[in-house]
Amino acid sequence: MLANALVGNRLDAPMLETSLTELRLRATGNLVVSVTGAASGVYVDDLPATLAQPFSLRAGQTLRVGAPAKGLRSYVAVHGSIEAASFLGSVAPDPFIGFGRQLQEGDVVHTHDATTPLEHPQFGTAVIRPWAVAAHGGRPLSTGASVVAAADHHVVVDVTPGPDSAMFGTTRRRLFEDDYVVTPNSNAMGIRMSGATPVRTKQGEILSTGVPPGAVEVPGNGELIVLHRARGITAGYAIPAVVTTQGLDVLAQVRPGARVRFRAVESDEAIKSLRAERQALEATTMRAVAILAGHSVNASAASGWA
Amino acid sequence: MTAPEHRRSNRLDVVEFGDSYLRARAVDGSDEDRWQRVHAVADRINAREFAGLESAIATYDTVVVQFDPFNLDHENATALLHGVASDLRPVDHESREFMVPVLYGGEAGPDLDDVARAQGLPPDKLVARLTSVSRVIRCFSHHGAAMLDGPDLPRNVPRRHDPRVSVPAGSVTIAGRQSLLHACASPSGWQLVGRTPLQVARLEGNSLTPYRAGDVLTYRSIDEHEFRNLHGTRLEDFLVNVP
């Protein structure tokens, strides 16, 4: 969402995600783009650009998003957003139902509108700081960098109480007493972790229910699963905790082998923090929109500037 | 005006479920009543009739509701949800029935013989039990998979010790006293007894599958020849009662 905010898009506009690998994109028109997340570096024709800052990409230039040294995912947003097929309100690929587009070398991605050629002296400098609005009551917006920096140590992930917390008695404390290690069989259904898990002390059949992304399931084999977007229903498991919406953003950057430490928060704190982040994102978007609009007024006058 | 007994019969036990979800369990009435109630609540929420209540997943006696945490908190989302439950209308859509051709046993259903042996039934008698009754879709399990009542068998069907990494789209699996029609390929720890050649999922329109909870599936046993002939035909063409 930050990548979209930085180029003045709707926060939920389609954008590109890349996991683990380097991504190279050549612009066929003039674009304003931003890159956030775990990328080790961002380059325009091999000259360094800044992560989590909007910048101009002229027709013919190549954007390189470096493979992450730590962390997992990076995001590329284009002002005006990109074209993508939508199903049930989402453009996100879902390998389980066979929907969505995975880019291959040589593919062409279309942007929604032709941006005015941008050649603005301010772009390339830090004109839109994603943390500049932190004074509005939020903490600095995560650019992915803080998570990535922690990825070698333990990553702190907030959880709120689960609806079945009481079924685990005092063993629920184990969630917060030690690290969990992310295991390689994690996917969009769930992120699996090994460690000392809570154990159900209160037995009895539970009928299957729906679950939010972030619900922690304890199948009882020394693993816990943080269920994610491609989850199904519970299959009768009790839920001792739920990872917060912001905690899921943190988990999006963990690789197998990463150590995760859960931290207990109350749901009203989680909502407060989420709202502050949203306010900061919206302020960032408005700032970007204003700057881009201000620029486009002068577009013809400035077009000779280089 | 809502009579007090009416309100009581619609009671939901609501608890928080993370920072932007609630879990509501229907607390009184028969199993059938509670199932109908949570699905009626989910239908209204999923029709986006209530600003701030964004989506709902109903199963047996429970509906899990996603709310917009930027405009609601748990307290007022809960109040809104109680309001939905106290003002339920009769369901406005008829239950539809699909006749689903299934090839049992062999490569399509490699666990059929084991399940039959454990039940003390010859495989063809097991297939007869699986195909003789129309079954209601109670809810979705995952990726459009229809969760059905039954089958009526002498014993509970155990799950596999060694779950499969993937069963193909169209698979029919059973465990306990429930069965699943898998709309998409997915991992499964249930016993794989057969497969329909029909195309169940579709990536168009406003739902992944042509059926919804409350619709009825009736399985019909077919041979390999018919399986090949029907391969890729759409499930919606096998609607029995067009309302």
PDB file of all heavy atoms in Angstrom, chain A residues 87-88 96 98 160 163-164 208 210 212 230 232-233 244-245 267 275 278, chain B residues 16-19 21 23 59 64 69-70 72 74 140-141 143 184 203-204 206:
ATOM      1  N   PHE A  87     -10.927 -10.779 -10.277  1.00  0.00           N
ATOM      2  CA  PHE A  87     -11.943 -11.800 -10.000  1.00  0.00           C
ATOM      3  C   PHE A  87     -12.323 -11.717  -8.529  1.00  0.00           C
ATOM      4  O   PHE A  87     -11.449 -11.703  -7.661  1.00  0.00           O
ATOM      5  CB  PHE A  87     -11.399 -13.191 -10.350  1.00  0.00           C
ATOM      6  CG  PHE A  87     -12.391 -14.310 -10.092  1.00  0.00           C
ATOM      7  CD1 PHE A  87     -13.649 -14.295 -10.672  1.00  0.00           C
ATOM      8  CD2 PHE A  87     -12.044 -15.375  -9.276  1.00  0.00           C
ATOM      9  CE1 PHE A  87     -14.557 -15.319 -10.445  1.00  0.00           C
ATOM     10  CE2 PHE A  87     -12.954 -16.414  -9.036  1.00  0.00           C
ATOM     11  CZ  PHE A  87     -14.210 -16.384  -9.629  1.00  0.00           C
ATOM     12  N   LEU A  88     -13.608 -11.629  -8.250  1.00  0.00           N
ATOM     13  CA  LEU A  88     -14.120 -11.510  -6.884  1.00  0.00           C
ATOM     14  C   LEU A  88     -13.444 -10.364  -6.129  1.00  0.00           C
ATOM     15  O   LEU A  88     -13.107 -10.486  -4.952  1.00  0.00           O
ATOM     16  CB  LEU A  88     -13.954 -12.839  -6.122  1.00  0.00           C
ATOM     17  CG  LEU A  88     -14.662 -14.051  -6.745  1.00  0.00           C
ATOM     18  CD1 LEU A  88     -14.381 -15.318  -5.938  1.00  0.00           C
ATOM     19  CD2 LEU A  88     -16.159 -13.807  -6.866  1.00  0.00           C
ATOM     20  N   PHE A  96      -4.124 -21.589  -6.144  1.00  0.00           N
ATOM     21  CA  PHE A  96      -5.020 -22.697  -5.810  1.00  0.00           C
ATOM     22  C   PHE A  96      -6.226 -22.758  -6.740  1.00  0.00           C
ATOM     23  O   PHE A  96      -6.696 -23.837  -7.082  1.00  0.00           O
ATOM     24  CB  PHE A  96      -5.463 -22.609  -4.347  1.00  0.00           C
ATOM     25  CG  PHE A  96      -4.316 -22.802  -3.402  1.00  0.00           C
ATOM     26  CD1 PHE A  96      -3.640 -21.718  -2.874  1.00  0.00           C
ATOM     27  CD2 PHE A  96      -3.878 -24.077  -3.069  1.00  0.00           C
ATOM     28  CE1 PHE A  96      -2.563 -21.888  -2.020  1.00  0.00           C
ATOM     29  CE2 PHE A  96      -2.800 -24.260  -2.219  1.00  0.00           C
ATOM     30  CZ  PHE A  96      -2.142 -23.158  -1.694  1.00  0.00           C
ATOM     31  N   GLY A  98      -6.110 -21.141  -9.691  1.00  0.00           N
ATOM     32  CA  GLY A  98      -5.570 -20.959 -11.037  1.00  0.00           C
ATOM     33  C   GLY A  98      -5.867 -19.593 -11.617  1.00  0.00           C
ATOM     34  O   GLY A  98      -6.002 -19.434 -12.822  1.00  0.00           O
ATOM     35  N   THR A 160      -3.499 -10.768  18.780  1.00  0.00           N
ATOM     36  CA  THR A 160      -4.579 -10.484  19.729  1.00  0.00           C
ATOM     37  C   THR A 160      -5.108 -11.827  20.240  1.00  0.00           C
ATOM     38  O   THR A 160      -4.821 -12.873  19.654  1.00  0.00           O
ATOM     39  CB  THR A 160      -5.711  -9.681  19.052  1.00  0.00           C
ATOM     40  OG1 THR A 160      -6.251 -10.462  17.984  1.00  0.00           O
ATOM     41  CG2 THR A 160      -5.218  -8.354  18.523  1.00  0.00           C
ATOM     42  N   PRO A 163     -10.377 -16.571  19.844  1.00  0.00           N
ATOM     43  CA  PRO A 163     -11.691 -16.838  20.446  1.00  0.00           C
ATOM     44  C   PRO A 163     -11.687 -18.082  21.328  1.00  0.00           C
ATOM     45  O   PRO A 163     -12.577 -18.245  22.159  1.00  0.00           O
ATOM     46  CB  PRO A 163     -12.601 -17.021  19.226  1.00  0.00           C
ATOM     47  CG  PRO A 163     -11.689 -17.412  18.116  1.00  0.00           C
ATOM     48  CD  PRO A 163     -10.389 -16.722  18.387  1.00  0.00           C
ATOM     49  N   ASP A 164     -10.683 -18.954  21.158  1.00  0.00           N
ATOM     50  CA  ASP A 164     -10.634 -20.188  21.944  1.00  0.00           C
ATOM     51  C   ASP A 164      -9.461 -20.181  22.928  1.00  0.00           C
ATOM     52  O   ASP A 164      -9.011 -21.245  23.370  1.00  0.00           O
ATOM     53  CB  ASP A 164     -10.491 -21.399  21.008  1.00  0.00           C
ATOM     54  CG  ASP A 164     -11.557 -21.407  19.930  1.00  0.00           C
ATOM     55  OD1 ASP A 164     -12.743 -21.264  20.281  1.00  0.00           O
ATOM     56  OD2 ASP A 164     -11.204 -21.539  18.749  1.00  0.00           O
ATOM     57  N   SER A 208     -16.325 -27.010  12.555  1.00  0.00           N
ATOM     58  CA  SER A 208     -15.469 -26.158  11.729  1.00  0.00           C
ATOM     59  C   SER A 208     -16.086 -24.769  11.566  1.00  0.00           C
ATOM     60  O   SER A 208     -17.297 -24.636  11.435  1.00  0.00           O
ATOM     61  CB  SER A 208     -15.303 -26.783  10.343  1.00  0.00           C
ATOM     62  OG  SER A 208     -14.639 -28.008  10.451  1.00  0.00           O
ATOM     63  N   GLY A 210     -15.263 -20.592   9.823  1.00  0.00           N
ATOM     64  CA  GLY A 210     -14.402 -19.729   9.042  1.00  0.00           C
ATOM     65  C   GLY A 210     -13.345 -19.101   9.947  1.00  0.00           C
ATOM     66  O   GLY A 210     -13.499 -19.105  11.174  1.00  0.00           O
ATOM     67  N   PRO A 212     -10.233 -15.738  10.091  1.00  0.00           N
ATOM     68  CA  PRO A 212      -9.560 -14.630   9.400  1.00  0.00           C
ATOM     69  C   PRO A 212      -8.124 -15.017   9.045  1.00  0.00           C
ATOM     70  O   PRO A 212      -7.550 -15.892   9.696  1.00  0.00           O
ATOM     71  CB  PRO A 212      -9.551 -13.520  10.448  1.00  0.00           C
ATOM     72  CG  PRO A 212      -9.652 -14.208  11.759  1.00  0.00           C
ATOM     73  CD  PRO A 212     -10.370 -15.506  11.520  1.00  0.00           C
ATOM     74  N   ALA A 230      -5.183 -17.915   1.493  1.00  0.00           N
ATOM     75  CA  ALA A 230      -5.742 -19.087   0.799  1.00  0.00           C
ATOM     76  C   ALA A 230      -6.252 -20.146   1.771  1.00  0.00           C
ATOM     77  O   ALA A 230      -6.409 -21.295   1.407  1.00  0.00           O
ATOM     78  CB  ALA A 230      -4.690 -19.676  -0.143  1.00  0.00           C
ATOM     79  N   GLY A 232      -8.680 -22.367   4.316  1.00  0.00           N
ATOM     80  CA  GLY A 232     -10.041 -22.889   4.254  1.00  0.00           C
ATOM     81  C   GLY A 232     -10.706 -22.629   5.591  1.00  0.00           C
ATOM     82  O   GLY A 232     -10.413 -21.631   6.253  1.00  0.00           O
ATOM     83  N   ILE A 233     -11.623 -23.543   6.005  1.00  0.00           N
ATOM     84  CA  ILE A 233     -12.224 -23.426   7.334  1.00  0.00           C
ATOM     85  C   ILE A 233     -11.361 -24.209   8.322  1.00  0.00           C
ATOM     86  O   ILE A 233     -10.368 -24.839   7.926  1.00  0.00           O
ATOM     87  CB  ILE A 233     -13.698 -23.865   7.328  1.00  0.00           C
ATOM     88  CG1 ILE A 233     -13.849 -25.299   6.846  1.00  0.00           C
ATOM     89  CG2 ILE A 233     -14.494 -22.931   6.433  1.00  0.00           C
ATOM     90  CD1 ILE A 233     -15.297 -25.792   6.871  1.00  0.00           C
ATOM     91  N   THR A 244      -2.231  -9.819  14.098  1.00  0.00           N
ATOM     92  CA  THR A 244      -2.895  -8.580  13.686  1.00  0.00           C
ATOM     93  C   THR A 244      -2.683  -8.334  12.189  1.00  0.00           C
ATOM     94  O   THR A 244      -1.786  -8.916  11.575  1.00  0.00           O
ATOM     95  CB  THR A 244      -2.325  -7.371  14.452  1.00  0.00           C
ATOM     96  OG1 THR A 244      -0.942  -7.233  14.104  1.00  0.00           O
ATOM     97  CG2 THR A 244      -2.467  -7.539  15.958  1.00  0.00           C
ATOM     98  N   THR A 245      -3.500  -7.452  11.642  1.00  0.00           N
ATOM     99  CA  THR A 245      -3.353  -7.098  10.224  1.00  0.00           C
ATOM    100  C   THR A 245      -1.931  -6.589   9.948  1.00  0.00           C
ATOM    101  O   THR A 245      -1.311  -6.953   8.952  1.00  0.00           O
ATOM    102  CB  THR A 245      -4.389  -6.019   9.848  1.00  0.00           C
ATOM    103  OG1 THR A 245      -5.689  -6.538  10.167  1.00  0.00           O
ATOM    104  CG2 THR A 245      -4.328  -5.665   8.386  1.00  0.00           C
ATOM    105  N   SER A 267      -7.032  -6.055  21.088  1.00  0.00           N
ATOM    106  CA  SER A 267      -7.515  -5.736  19.749  1.00  0.00           C
ATOM    107  C   SER A 267      -7.772  -4.231  19.576  1.00  0.00           C
ATOM    108  O   SER A 267      -7.625  -3.709  18.468  1.00  0.00           O
ATOM    109  CB  SER A 267      -8.768  -6.547  19.411  1.00  0.00           C
ATOM    110  OG  SER A 267      -9.748  -6.317  20.375  1.00  0.00           O
ATOM    111  N   ARG A 275      -5.263   2.168  12.354  1.00  0.00           N
ATOM    112  CA  ARG A 275      -5.863   3.430  11.893  1.00  0.00           C
ATOM    113  C   ARG A 275      -4.809   4.518  11.733  1.00  0.00           C
ATOM    114  O   ARG A 275      -4.862   5.316  10.790  1.00  0.00           O
ATOM    115  CB  ARG A 275      -6.936   3.885  12.885  1.00  0.00           C
ATOM    116  CG  ARG A 275      -8.194   3.065  12.793  1.00  0.00           C
ATOM    117  CD  ARG A 275      -9.200   3.497  13.832  1.00  0.00           C
ATOM    118  NE  ARG A 275     -10.441   2.736  13.717  1.00  0.00           N
ATOM    119  CZ  ARG A 275     -11.445   2.820  14.579  1.00  0.00           C
ATOM    120  NH1 ARG A 275     -11.354   3.641  15.629  1.00  0.00           N
ATOM    121  NH2 ARG A 275     -12.530   2.100  14.407  1.00  0.00           N
ATOM    122  N   ARG A 278      -3.052   3.885   8.551  1.00  0.00           N
ATOM    123  CA  ARG A 278      -3.871   4.244   7.403  1.00  0.00           C
ATOM    124  C   ARG A 278      -3.894   5.754   7.198  1.00  0.00           C
ATOM    125  O   ARG A 278      -3.820   6.256   6.077  1.00  0.00           O
ATOM    126  CB  ARG A 278      -5.291   3.690   7.590  1.00  0.00           C
ATOM    127  CG  ARG A 278      -6.291   4.103   6.524  1.00  0.00           C
ATOM    128  CD  ARG A 278      -5.873   3.718   5.115  1.00  0.00           C
ATOM    129  NE  ARG A 278      -5.839   2.287   4.941  1.00  0.00           N
ATOM    130  CZ  ARG A 278      -6.813   1.554   4.391  1.00  0.00           C
ATOM    131  NH1 ARG A 278      -7.906   2.149   3.973  1.00  0.00           N
ATOM    132  NH2 ARG A 278      -6.688   0.264   4.242  1.00  0.00           N
TER     133      ARG A 278
ATOM    134  N   GLU B  16     -14.727 -11.572  19.714  1.00  0.00           N
ATOM    135  CA  GLU B  16     -13.781 -10.984  18.767  1.00  0.00           C
ATOM    136  C   GLU B  16     -12.902 -12.081  18.163  1.00  0.00           C
ATOM    137  O   GLU B  16     -12.636 -13.106  18.787  1.00  0.00           O
ATOM    138  CB  GLU B  16     -12.919  -9.920  19.438  1.00  0.00           C
ATOM    139  CG  GLU B  16     -11.930 -10.471  20.460  1.00  0.00           C
ATOM    140  CD  GLU B  16     -10.921  -9.417  20.915  1.00  0.00           C
ATOM    141  OE1 GLU B  16     -11.371  -8.378  21.425  1.00  0.00           O
ATOM    142  OE2 GLU B  16      -9.714  -9.658  20.757  1.00  0.00           O
ATOM    143  N   PHE B  17     -12.455 -11.842  16.942  1.00  0.00           N
ATOM    144  CA  PHE B  17     -11.642 -12.828  16.228  1.00  0.00           C
ATOM    145  C   PHE B  17     -10.576 -12.054  15.449  1.00  0.00           C
ATOM    146  O   PHE B  17     -10.667 -11.899  14.236  1.00  0.00           O
ATOM    147  CB  PHE B  17     -12.548 -13.649  15.303  1.00  0.00           C
ATOM    148  CG  PHE B  17     -12.038 -15.024  14.961  1.00  0.00           C
ATOM    149  CD1 PHE B  17     -12.868 -15.940  14.328  1.00  0.00           C
ATOM    150  CD2 PHE B  17     -10.751 -15.421  15.265  1.00  0.00           C
ATOM    151  CE1 PHE B  17     -12.432 -17.209  13.998  1.00  0.00           C
ATOM    152  CE2 PHE B  17     -10.295 -16.685  14.950  1.00  0.00           C
ATOM    153  CZ  PHE B  17     -11.150 -17.579  14.309  1.00  0.00           C
ATOM    154  N   GLY B  18      -9.605 -11.504  16.182  1.00  0.00           N
ATOM    155  CA  GLY B  18      -8.594 -10.677  15.533  1.00  0.00           C
ATOM    156  C   GLY B  18      -9.049  -9.236  15.461  1.00  0.00           C
ATOM    157  O   GLY B  18     -10.130  -8.889  15.953  1.00  0.00           O
ATOM    158  N   ASP B  19      -8.232  -8.368  14.818  1.00  0.00           N
ATOM    159  CA  ASP B  19      -8.527  -6.932  14.882  1.00  0.00           C
ATOM    160  C   ASP B  19      -9.646  -6.495  13.950  1.00  0.00           C
ATOM    161  O   ASP B  19     -10.132  -5.373  14.054  1.00  0.00           O
ATOM    162  CB  ASP B  19      -7.259  -6.086  14.697  1.00  0.00           C
ATOM    163  CG  ASP B  19      -6.535  -6.345  13.388  1.00  0.00           C
ATOM    164  OD1 ASP B  19      -7.190  -6.721  12.404  1.00  0.00           O
ATOM    165  OD2 ASP B  19      -5.299  -6.175  13.356  1.00  0.00           O
ATOM    166  N   TYR B  21     -12.299  -8.976  12.675  1.00  0.00           N
ATOM    167  CA  TYR B  21     -13.297 -10.037  12.474  1.00  0.00           C
ATOM    168  C   TYR B  21     -14.014 -10.336  13.797  1.00  0.00           C
ATOM    169  O   TYR B  21     -13.463 -10.138  14.879  1.00  0.00           O
ATOM    170  CB  TYR B  21     -12.643 -11.341  12.008  1.00  0.00           C
ATOM    171  CG  TYR B  21     -12.203 -11.354  10.556  1.00  0.00           C
ATOM    172  CD1 TYR B  21     -11.032 -10.707  10.159  1.00  0.00           C
ATOM    173  CD2 TYR B  21     -12.934 -12.038   9.595  1.00  0.00           C
ATOM    174  CE1 TYR B  21     -10.607 -10.742   8.832  1.00  0.00           C
ATOM    175  CE2 TYR B  21     -12.522 -12.080   8.268  1.00  0.00           C
ATOM    176  CZ  TYR B  21     -11.360 -11.433   7.896  1.00  0.00           C
ATOM    177  OH  TYR B  21     -10.953 -11.465   6.589  1.00  0.00           O
ATOM    178  N   ARG B  23     -16.565 -13.582  15.553  1.00  0.00           N
ATOM    179  CA  ARG B  23     -17.111 -14.923  15.375  1.00  0.00           C
ATOM    180  C   ARG B  23     -18.450 -14.995  16.101  1.00  0.00           C
ATOM    181  O   ARG B  23     -18.514 -14.715  17.305  1.00  0.00           O
ATOM    182  CB  ARG B  23     -16.158 -15.978  15.949  1.00  0.00           C
ATOM    183  CG  ARG B  23     -16.619 -17.399  15.637  1.00  0.00           C
ATOM    184  CD  ARG B  23     -15.669 -18.428  16.172  1.00  0.00           C
ATOM    185  NE  ARG B  23     -15.832 -18.611  17.603  1.00  0.00           N
ATOM    186  CZ  ARG B  23     -15.061 -19.410  18.349  1.00  0.00           C
ATOM    187  NH1 ARG B  23     -14.049 -20.066  17.793  1.00  0.00           N
ATOM    188  NH2 ARG B  23     -15.272 -19.529  19.636  1.00  0.00           N
ATOM    189  N   THR B  59     -20.644 -21.506   8.379  1.00  0.00           N
ATOM    190  CA  THR B  59     -20.374 -22.946   8.288  1.00  0.00           C
ATOM    191  C   THR B  59     -21.580 -23.707   8.838  1.00  0.00           C
ATOM    192  O   THR B  59     -22.611 -23.742   8.199  1.00  0.00           O
ATOM    193  CB  THR B  59     -19.054 -23.315   9.006  1.00  0.00           C
ATOM    194  OG1 THR B  59     -19.012 -22.657  10.274  1.00  0.00           O
ATOM    195  CG2 THR B  59     -17.864 -22.904   8.171  1.00  0.00           C
ATOM    196  N   VAL B  64     -18.496 -16.166  10.612  1.00  0.00           N
ATOM    197  CA  VAL B  64     -17.343 -15.313  10.904  1.00  0.00           C
ATOM    198  C   VAL B  64     -17.443 -14.094   9.996  1.00  0.00           C
ATOM    199  O   VAL B  64     -17.595 -14.231   8.782  1.00  0.00           O
ATOM    200  CB  VAL B  64     -16.025 -16.100  10.702  1.00  0.00           C
ATOM    201  CG1 VAL B  64     -14.824 -15.173  10.717  1.00  0.00           C
ATOM    202  CG2 VAL B  64     -15.888 -17.160  11.786  1.00  0.00           C
ATOM    203  N   PRO B  69     -12.192  -2.002   9.978  1.00  0.00           N
ATOM    204  CA  PRO B  69     -11.653  -1.478  11.233  1.00  0.00           C
ATOM    205  C   PRO B  69     -11.369   0.023  11.196  1.00  0.00           C
ATOM    206  O   PRO B  69     -11.035   0.605  12.216  1.00  0.00           O
ATOM    207  CB  PRO B  69     -10.355  -2.271  11.401  1.00  0.00           C
ATOM    208  CG  PRO B  69      -9.940  -2.603  10.014  1.00  0.00           C
ATOM    209  CD  PRO B  69     -11.204  -2.781   9.220  1.00  0.00           C
ATOM    210  N   PHE B  70     -11.515   0.639  10.012  1.00  0.00           N
ATOM    211  CA  PHE B  70     -11.291   2.078   9.925  1.00  0.00           C
ATOM    212  C   PHE B  70     -12.561   2.862  10.261  1.00  0.00           C
ATOM    213  O   PHE B  70     -12.506   4.044  10.542  1.00  0.00           O
ATOM    214  CB  PHE B  70     -10.748   2.459   8.549  1.00  0.00           C
ATOM    215  CG  PHE B  70      -9.492   1.707   8.231  1.00  0.00           C
ATOM    216  CD1 PHE B  70      -9.484   0.723   7.253  1.00  0.00           C
ATOM    217  CD2 PHE B  70      -8.334   1.927   8.962  1.00  0.00           C
ATOM    218  CE1 PHE B  70      -8.333   0.000   6.998  1.00  0.00           C
ATOM    219  CE2 PHE B  70      -7.176   1.207   8.720  1.00  0.00           C
ATOM    220  CZ  PHE B  70      -7.181   0.241   7.735  1.00  0.00           C
ATOM    221  N   LEU B  72     -15.419   0.975  11.994  1.00  0.00           N
ATOM    222  CA  LEU B  72     -16.105   0.294  13.089  1.00  0.00           C
ATOM    223  C   LEU B  72     -15.063  -0.264  14.062  1.00  0.00           C
ATOM    224  O   LEU B  72     -13.913  -0.471  13.687  1.00  0.00           O
ATOM    225  CB  LEU B  72     -16.942  -0.879  12.560  1.00  0.00           C
ATOM    226  CG  LEU B  72     -18.134  -0.588  11.646  1.00  0.00           C
ATOM    227  CD1 LEU B  72     -18.785  -1.910  11.238  1.00  0.00           C
ATOM    228  CD2 LEU B  72     -19.149   0.306  12.334  1.00  0.00           C
ATOM    229  N   HIS B  74     -14.921  -3.380  17.479  1.00  0.00           N
ATOM    230  CA  HIS B  74     -15.603  -4.638  17.797  1.00  0.00           C
ATOM    231  C   HIS B  74     -16.980  -4.398  18.405  1.00  0.00           C
ATOM    232  O   HIS B  74     -17.913  -5.144  18.144  1.00  0.00           O
ATOM    233  CB  HIS B  74     -14.742  -5.473  18.749  1.00  0.00           C
ATOM    234  CG  HIS B  74     -13.486  -5.961  18.112  1.00  0.00           C
ATOM    235  ND1 HIS B  74     -12.361  -5.185  17.994  1.00  0.00           N
ATOM    236  CD2 HIS B  74     -13.183  -7.135  17.526  1.00  0.00           C
ATOM    237  CE1 HIS B  74     -11.419  -5.863  17.371  1.00  0.00           C
ATOM    238  NE2 HIS B  74     -11.885  -7.052  17.079  1.00  0.00           N
ATOM    239  N   PHE B 140     -18.792 -24.208   2.513  1.00  0.00           N
ATOM    240  CA  PHE B 140     -17.589 -24.386   1.722  1.00  0.00           C
ATOM    241  C   PHE B 140     -16.425 -24.697   2.650  1.00  0.00           C
ATOM    242  O   PHE B 140     -16.310 -24.114   3.729  1.00  0.00           O
ATOM    243  CB  PHE B 140     -17.269 -23.123   0.924  1.00  0.00           C
ATOM    244  CG  PHE B 140     -18.228 -22.875  -0.188  1.00  0.00           C
ATOM    245  CD1 PHE B 140     -19.342 -22.069  -0.018  1.00  0.00           C
ATOM    246  CD2 PHE B 140     -18.030 -23.470  -1.418  1.00  0.00           C
ATOM    247  CE1 PHE B 140     -20.241 -21.852  -1.040  1.00  0.00           C
ATOM    248  CE2 PHE B 140     -18.927 -23.266  -2.458  1.00  0.00           C
ATOM    249  CZ  PHE B 140     -20.033 -22.453  -2.277  1.00  0.00           C
ATOM    250  N   SER B 141     -15.582 -25.610   2.221  1.00  0.00           N
ATOM    251  CA  SER B 141     -14.422 -25.954   3.029  1.00  0.00           C
ATOM    252  C   SER B 141     -13.218 -25.084   2.645  1.00  0.00           C
ATOM    253  O   SER B 141     -12.614 -24.443   3.476  1.00  0.00           O
ATOM    254  CB  SER B 141     -14.094 -27.433   2.823  1.00  0.00           C
ATOM    255  OG  SER B 141     -12.815 -27.715   3.278  1.00  0.00           O
ATOM    256  N   HIS B 143     -11.498 -23.108  -1.235  1.00  0.00           N
ATOM    257  CA  HIS B 143     -11.434 -22.984  -2.702  1.00  0.00           C
ATOM    258  C   HIS B 143     -12.624 -23.608  -3.405  1.00  0.00           C
ATOM    259  O   HIS B 143     -12.472 -24.380  -4.345  1.00  0.00           O
ATOM    260  CB  HIS B 143     -10.142 -23.619  -3.230  1.00  0.00           C
ATOM    261  CG  HIS B 143      -8.928 -23.146  -2.502  1.00  0.00           C
ATOM    262  ND1 HIS B 143      -8.050 -23.992  -1.879  1.00  0.00           N
ATOM    263  CD2 HIS B 143      -8.488 -21.907  -2.252  1.00  0.00           C
ATOM    264  CE1 HIS B 143      -7.118 -23.288  -1.291  1.00  0.00           C
ATOM    265  NE2 HIS B 143      -7.354 -22.026  -1.503  1.00  0.00           N
ATOM    266  N   CYS B 184     -11.341 -27.323  -6.909  1.00  0.00           N
ATOM    267  CA  CYS B 184      -9.994 -27.049  -7.417  1.00  0.00           C
ATOM    268  C   CYS B 184      -9.046 -28.094  -6.855  1.00  0.00           C
ATOM    269  O   CYS B 184      -9.347 -28.714  -5.836  1.00  0.00           O
ATOM    270  CB  CYS B 184      -9.507 -25.674  -6.955  1.00  0.00           C
ATOM    271  SG  CYS B 184     -10.583 -24.313  -7.408  1.00  0.00           S
ATOM    272  N   LEU B 203     -13.651 -19.141 -13.423  1.00  0.00           N
ATOM    273  CA  LEU B 203     -13.036 -17.879 -13.000  1.00  0.00           C
ATOM    274  C   LEU B 203     -13.762 -16.706 -13.636  1.00  0.00           C
ATOM    275  O   LEU B 203     -13.167 -15.873 -14.312  1.00  0.00           O
ATOM    276  CB  LEU B 203     -11.555 -17.872 -13.367  1.00  0.00           C
ATOM    277  CG  LEU B 203     -10.726 -18.967 -12.682  1.00  0.00           C
ATOM    278  CD1 LEU B 203      -9.292 -18.946 -13.183  1.00  0.00           C
ATOM    279  CD2 LEU B 203     -10.766 -18.823 -11.176  1.00  0.00           C
ATOM    280  N   GLU B 204     -15.079 -16.669 -13.488  1.00  0.00           N
ATOM    281  CA  GLU B 204     -15.881 -15.592 -14.075  1.00  0.00           C
ATOM    282  C   GLU B 204     -17.120 -15.412 -13.217  1.00  0.00           C
ATOM    283  O   GLU B 204     -17.430 -16.278 -12.391  1.00  0.00           O
ATOM    284  CB  GLU B 204     -16.272 -15.953 -15.512  1.00  0.00           C
ATOM    285  CG  GLU B 204     -17.068 -17.242 -15.558  1.00  0.00           C
ATOM    286  CD  GLU B 204     -17.165 -17.855 -16.959  1.00  0.00           C
ATOM    287  OE1 GLU B 204     -16.270 -17.632 -17.781  1.00  0.00           O
ATOM    288  OE2 GLU B 204     -18.140 -18.561 -17.192  1.00  0.00           O
ATOM    289  N   ASN B 206     -19.699 -13.870 -10.341  1.00  0.00           N
ATOM    290  CA  ASN B 206     -19.468 -13.404  -8.972  1.00  0.00           C
ATOM    291  C   ASN B 206     -19.340 -14.522  -7.957  1.00  0.00           C
ATOM    292  O   ASN B 206     -19.470 -14.307  -6.760  1.00  0.00           O
ATOM    293  CB  ASN B 206     -20.564 -12.413  -8.550  1.00  0.00           C
ATOM    294  CG  ASN B 206     -21.939 -13.014  -8.742  1.00  0.00           C
ATOM    295  OD1 ASN B 206     -22.053 -14.221  -8.970  1.00  0.00           O
ATOM    296  ND2 ASN B 206     -22.961 -12.200  -8.657  1.00  0.00           N
TER     297      ASN B 206
END
